[in-house]
Amino acid sequence: MKIQQLGSSLDSGCATQYLTTFLINDYVAIDAGCLGLLTPVSKQQSIEHVFLSHSHLDHVASLPLFLDNIYEQESQPPAVYAHEDVWRTLKTDLFNDRLWPDLLRIGAKGNRFLEEHLLVSELPIALSGLRITPVTVNHVIPTLGFLVEDDQSAVIIASDTGPTERLWELAGLQPFRQKLQAVFLECSFSADQAWLANESKHLHSSIFAAEIGKLSAIPRFITVAVHLKGSLREQIERELTALDLADLQMGGADRTWEF
Ligand SMILES: [Zn+2]
Ligand SMILES: [Zn+2]
């Protein structure tokens, strides 16, 4: 399984992530924060499935651009998967003809811009070679983390969350547990911003180790810290490095992992 974290900075050498998108095997996207900025556009055209964790802008901002960029008459539209609350928000607040044309209404009259699919927590979706299980995590609006697996390997993309439980419980079940290779876990805030992390239901560097420690019964996976606030990135990295966690890596623009 190949996982790529897409870059979202105009400086191609900059690791800072302002927006969130992960690509899996070049044809599945988790979140669309920067998906619509991916170049060349042929890489966007290769995306067949888009899973949305929640409706916050850093996770959906470029979804309208992506759908516009890849639209072609007579071709199969991408499948977009989201929780019913996310669909409600997208239809009310984004695809409303004011912020962006209502692609669902326009598409209903001819070739569709997207296929709408519903995500329900703990109901897996099987795609060619992949199984993706959404699991409710602990954020200020309904949000799904994802357990992603193929025959050989598995990863967790936890999305935006404060301290959570069910995602780790399910990850501890076989056969997922024995295949687990990597956990992409957010650390949005530094220790001195703990109050803001608590208000906004994110993790901060003081509780990051305790959170990943909930998987301590599972051996030999790497932890990748992601979703570090741009203005706090260096401080958060310093604080996480000082934790001296085994197998901790920092995520970053255009990093790729193969499992
Ligand atoms: Zn969020
Ligand atoms: Zn976010």
Side-chain angles (χ1 to χ4, degrees):
M1 190 188 313
K2 178 174 134 187
I3 308 281
Q4 183 184 5
Q5 197 180 4
L6 291 192
S8 60
S9 164
L10 295 179
D11 176 352
S12 59
C14 174
T16 303
Q17 300 294 124
Y18 300 109
L19 304 165
T20 296
T21 298
F22 293 90
L23 292 192
I24 305 172
N25 296 345
D26 299 319
Y27 71 93
V28 175
I30 304 282
D31 284 328
C34 44
L35 181 60
L37 310 178
L38 181 61
T39 53
V41 76
S42 59
K43 289 189 177 174
Q44 293 185 45
Q45 288 162 335
S46 300
I47 306 295
E48 298 167 14
H49 306 272
V50 181
F51 287 73
L52 301 176
S53 64
H54 64 308
S55 56
H56 280 162
L57 210 52
D58 53 325
H59 299 257
V60 303
S62 73
L63 178 65
L65 308 178
F66 164 73
L67 295 173
D68 197 30
N69 290 341
I70 66 164
Y71 178 73
E72 276 182 57
Q73 290 193 359
E74 315 298 341
S75 77
Q76 179 70 18
V80 180
Y81 304 76
H83 186 273
E84 62 178 347
D85 290 316
V86 174
W87 278 119
R88 194 174 307 119
T89 300
L90 292 177
K91 290 172 184 177
T92 306
D93 300 330
L94 181 53
F95 297 114
N96 56 14
D97 289 326
R98 293 186 302 278
L99 209 53
W100 196 257
D102 182 353
L103 300 183
L104 291 142
R105 173 179 54 78
I106 296 170
K109 293 177 180 162
N111 294 88
R112 288 173 303 162
F113 283 80
L114 69 158
E115 258 179 26
E116 182 180 340
H117 293 268
L118 207 54
L119 288 180
V120 177
S121 182
E122 302 186 28
L123 283 188
I125 305 282
L127 308 171
S128 43
L130 288 176
R131 178 179 151 104
I132 300 180
T133 306
V135 183
T136 297
V137 291
N138 174 29
H139 197 33
V140 286
I141 56 170
T143 299
L144 298 165
F146 297 99
L147 306 176
V148 183
E149 58 195 303
D150 61 18
D151 287 344
Q152 280 90 38
S153 56
V155 303
I156 300 172
I157 298 176
S159 190
D160 289 10
T161 186
T164 195
E165 302 298 335
R166 185 63 177 156
L167 185 69
W168 311 134
E169 274 175 33
L170 293 178
L173 302 178
Q174 296 292 17
F176 191 91
R177 169 197 175 104
Q178 72 188 31
K179 295 190 288 187
L180 183 63
Q181 303 288 320
V183 179
F184 295 84
L185 183 61
E186 73 128 287
C187 189
S188 297
F189 290 101
S190 51
D192 62 348
Q193 301 284 317
W195 67 274
L196 189 48
N198 295 337
E199 280 294 317
S200 55
K201 292 199 175 179
H202 282 291
L203 296 175
H204 55 86
S205 52
S206 299
I207 57 172
F208 187 86
E211 196 59 27
I212 201 67
K214 292 173 183 174
L215 289 177
S216 60
I218 305 178
R220 66 150 246 280
F221 62 86
I222 62 165
T223 303
V224 183
V226 296
H227 206 274
L228 282 59
K229 288 282 175 199
S231 60
L232 301 169
R233 183 179 178 89
E234 289 179 7
Q235 184 180 351
I236 298 169
E237 281 196 6
R238 268 199 312 277
E239 292 174 355
L240 289 177
T241 302
L243 296 174
D244 217 13
L245 293 171
D247 299 318
L248 175 66
Q249 300 183 10
M250 299 299 158
D254 291 323
R255 284 211 58 192
T256 300
W257 294 263
E258 300 249 14
F259 303 109

